[in-house]
Coordinates of all heavy atoms in Angstrom, one line a residue:
I474 N 90.9 105.0 93.5 CA 90.1 106.3 93.6 C 89.8 106.7 95.0 O 89.0 107.6 95.2 CB 88.9 106.2 92.7 CG1 87.9 105.1 93.2 CG2 89.2 106.0 91.3 CD1 86.5 105.1 92.6
R475 N 90.4 106.0 96.0 CA 90.1 106.3 97.4 C 90.6 107.7 97.8 O 91.6 108.1 97.2 CB 90.7 105.3 98.4 CG 90.1 103.9 98.2 CD 90.8 102.9 99.1 NE 92.2 102.9 98.7 CZ 93.2 102.7 99.6 NH1 93.0 102.6 100.8 NH2 94.5 102.7 99.1
Y476 N 89.9 108.4 98.7 CA 90.4 109.7 99.1 C 91.6 109.5 100.1 O 91.9 108.4 100.6 CB 89.3 110.5 99.7 CG 88.5 109.9 100.8 CD1 88.9 110.0 102.2 CD2 87.3 109.2 100.6 CE1 88.2 109.5 103.2 CE2 86.6 108.6 101.6 CZ 87.0 108.8 102.9 OH 86.3 108.2 103.9
A477 N 92.4 110.6 100.2 CA 93.7 110.6 100.9 C 93.6 110.0 102.3 O 94.5 109.2 102.7 CB 94.3 112.0 100.9
A478 N 92.6 110.3 103.1 CA 92.6 109.8 104.4 C 92.5 108.2 104.5 O 93.1 107.6 105.3 CB 91.3 110.3 105.2
L479 N 91.8 107.6 103.5 CA 91.8 106.2 103.5 C 93.2 105.6 103.0 O 93.6 104.6 103.5 CB 90.7 105.7 102.5 CG 89.3 105.8 103.1 CD1 88.3 105.4 102.0 CD2 89.1 105.1 104.3
R480 N 93.8 106.3 102.1 CA 95.1 105.8 101.7 C 96.1 105.9 102.8 O 96.9 105.0 103.0 CB 95.6 106.6 100.4 CG 94.8 106.3 99.2 CD 95.4 106.8 97.9 NE 95.8 108.2 98.0 CZ 95.1 109.3 97.7 NH1 93.8 109.1 97.3 NH2 95.6 110.5 97.8
E481 N 96.1 107.0 103.5 CA 97.0 107.2 104.7 C 96.7 106.2 105.8 O 97.6 105.7 106.4 CB 96.8 108.6 105.2 CG 97.4 109.7 104.3 CD 97.2 111.1 104.7 OE1 96.6 111.3 105.8 OE2 97.5 112.0 104.0
R482 N 95.4 105.9 106.0 CA 95.1 104.9 107.0 C 95.5 103.5 106.7 O 96.1 102.8 107.5 CB 93.6 105.0 107.3 CG 93.1 104.0 108.4 CD 91.6 103.9 108.5 NE 91.1 103.1 107.4 CZ 89.8 102.9 107.1 NH1 88.9 103.6 107.7 NH2 89.5 102.1 106.1
D483 N 95.2 103.1 105.4 CA 95.4 101.7 105.0 C 96.5 101.4 104.1 O 96.9 100.2 103.9 CB 94.1 101.2 104.3 CG 92.9 101.2 105.3 OD1 93.1 101.1 106.5 OD2 91.8 101.3 104.8
G484 N 97.1 102.4 103.5 CA 98.2 102.2 102.5 C 97.7 102.1 101.1 O 96.5 102.4 100.8
T485 N 98.5 101.8 100.2 CA 98.2 101.7 98.7 C 98.7 100.4 98.1 O 99.5 99.7 98.7 CB 98.8 102.9 98.0 OG1 100.2 102.8 98.1 CG2 98.3 104.2 98.5
I486 N 98.2 100.1 96.9 CA 98.6 99.0 96.2 C 99.9 99.4 95.4 O 99.8 100.4 94.6 CB 97.5 98.5 95.2 CG1 96.3 98.1 96.0 CG2 98.0 97.4 94.3 CD1 95.0 97.8 95.2
P487 N 101.0 98.7 95.5 CA 102.2 99.0 94.7 C 101.9 99.1 93.2 O 101.2 98.2 92.7 CB 103.1 97.9 95.0 CG 102.6 97.3 96.3 CD 101.2 97.5 96.3
G488 N 102.3 100.2 92.6 CA 102.1 100.4 91.2 C 100.8 100.9 90.7 O 100.6 101.2 89.6
A489 N 99.8 101.0 91.7 CA 98.5 101.6 91.3 C 98.6 103.1 91.1 O 99.4 103.8 91.8 CB 97.5 101.3 92.4
L490 N 97.9 103.5 90.1 CA 97.8 105.0 89.8 C 96.8 105.6 90.8 O 95.6 105.0 90.9 CB 97.3 105.2 88.4 CG 97.0 106.6 87.9 CD1 98.3 107.4 88.0 CD2 96.4 106.6 86.6
I491 N 97.1 106.6 91.5 CA 96.2 107.3 92.4 C 95.5 108.4 91.7 O 96.2 109.4 91.2 CB 97.0 107.9 93.6 CG1 97.9 106.8 94.3 CG2 96.1 108.5 94.6 CD1 97.2 105.6 94.9
V492 N 94.2 108.3 91.6 CA 93.4 109.4 91.0 C 92.1 109.4 91.8 O 91.3 108.5 91.8 CB 93.1 109.0 89.5 CG1 92.2 110.1 89.0 CG2 94.3 108.9 88.7
E493 N 91.9 110.5 92.5 CA 90.7 110.6 93.3 C 89.5 110.7 92.3 O 89.6 111.1 91.2 CB 90.8 111.8 94.2 CG 91.8 111.5 95.3 CD 91.6 112.4 96.5 OE1 90.6 113.0 96.8 OE2 92.6 112.5 97.3
R494 N 88.4 110.2 92.8 CA 87.2 110.0 92.0 C 86.8 111.2 91.2 O 86.4 111.1 90.0 CB 86.0 109.5 92.9 CG 84.7 109.4 92.1 CD 84.8 108.3 91.0 NE 83.6 108.2 90.2 CZ 83.6 108.8 89.0 NH1 84.6 109.4 88.5 NH2 82.5 108.6 88.2
N495 N 86.9 112.4 91.7 CA 86.4 113.6 91.0 C 87.3 114.0 89.8 O 86.9 114.8 89.0 CB 86.3 114.8 92.0 CG 87.6 115.2 92.6 OD1 88.4 114.3 93.0 ND2 87.9 116.5 92.7
E496 N 88.5 113.3 89.7 CA 89.3 113.6 88.5 C 89.4 112.4 87.5 O 90.1 112.5 86.5 CB 90.8 113.9 89.0 CG 90.9 115.1 89.9 CD 92.3 115.4 90.4 OE1 93.2 114.5 90.1 OE2 92.5 116.3 91.1
L497 N 88.8 111.3 87.8 CA 89.0 110.1 87.1 C 88.8 110.2 85.6 O 89.7 109.8 84.9 CB 88.0 109.0 87.7 CG 88.2 107.6 87.1 CD1 89.6 107.0 87.4 CD2 87.1 106.7 87.5
E498 N 87.7 110.7 85.1 CA 87.5 110.7 83.7 C 88.5 111.6 83.0 O 89.0 111.3 81.9 CB 86.1 111.2 83.4 CG 85.0 110.2 83.8 CD 84.6 110.2 85.3 OE1 85.2 111.0 86.0 OE2 83.8 109.4 85.6
W499 N 88.9 112.7 83.6 CA 89.9 113.6 83.0 C 91.2 113.0 82.9 O 92.0 113.1 81.9 CB 89.9 115.0 83.7 CG 88.8 115.8 83.4 CD1 88.7 116.8 82.5 CD2 87.5 115.8 84.1 NE1 87.4 117.3 82.5 CE2 86.7 116.7 83.5 CE3 87.0 115.0 85.1 CZ2 85.4 116.9 83.9 CZ3 85.7 115.2 85.5 CH2 84.9 116.2 84.9
R500 N 91.6 112.2 83.9 CA 92.9 111.6 84.0 C 93.1 110.3 83.2 O 94.2 110.0 82.8 CB 93.3 111.3 85.4 CG 93.2 112.6 86.3 CD 94.3 113.6 86.1 NE 95.6 113.0 86.7 CZ 96.8 113.2 86.2 NH1 96.9 114.0 85.1 NH2 97.8 112.7 86.7
L501 N 91.9 109.7 82.9 CA 92.0 108.4 82.1 C 91.6 108.5 80.7 O 91.7 107.5 80.0 CB 91.1 107.4 82.8 CG 91.8 106.5 83.9 CD1 92.7 105.5 83.4 CD2 92.4 107.3 85.0
D502 N 91.1 109.7 80.2 CA 90.8 109.8 78.8 C 92.1 109.9 78.0 O 92.8 110.9 78.1 CB 89.9 111.1 78.6 CG 89.6 111.3 77.2 OD1 90.0 110.6 76.3 OD2 88.8 112.3 76.9
P503 N 92.4 108.9 77.2 CA 93.7 108.9 76.5 C 93.8 110.1 75.5 O 94.9 110.4 75.1 CB 93.7 107.6 75.7 CG 92.7 106.7 76.4 CD 91.6 107.7 77.0
T504 N 92.7 110.7 75.1 CA 92.8 111.9 74.2 C 92.7 113.2 74.9 O 92.8 114.2 74.2 CB 91.6 111.8 73.2 OG1 90.4 112.0 73.9 CG2 91.6 110.5 72.5
G505 N 92.6 113.2 76.2 CA 92.4 114.5 76.9 C 93.7 115.2 77.3 O 94.8 114.6 77.4
D506 N 93.6 116.5 77.4 CA 94.8 117.3 77.8 C 95.3 117.0 79.2 O 96.4 117.4 79.5 CB 94.4 118.8 77.6 CG 94.2 119.2 76.2 OD1 94.6 118.5 75.3 OD2 93.5 120.2 76.0
H507 N 94.4 116.5 80.1 CA 94.8 116.3 81.5 C 95.0 114.9 81.8 O 95.0 114.5 83.0 CB 93.7 116.9 82.4 CG 93.5 118.4 82.1 ND1 94.4 119.3 82.5 CD2 92.5 119.0 81.5 CE1 93.9 120.5 82.1 NE2 92.8 120.4 81.5

């Protein structure tokens, strides 16, 4: 859930889903449209 500047600075975890914090609940709700 880190913001882009931190991901660009430090990299990412292979295979991790990137979802910024403000979208988390919408993107992880298995029943949601988003």
Side-chain angles (χ1 to χ4, degrees):
I474 63 169
R475 295 174 302 141
Y476 52 90
L479 288 177
R480 294 190 312 270
E481 289 173 5
R482 182 188 77 189
D483 294 337
T485 61
I486 297 170
L490 176 64
I491 307 298
V492 178
E493 290 197 21
R494 176 63 188 100
N495 63 320
E496 297 179 358
L497 183 66
E498 290 80 1
W499 285 268
R500 305 287 288 148
L501 271 286
D502 179 357
T504 64
D506 293 338
H507 302 289

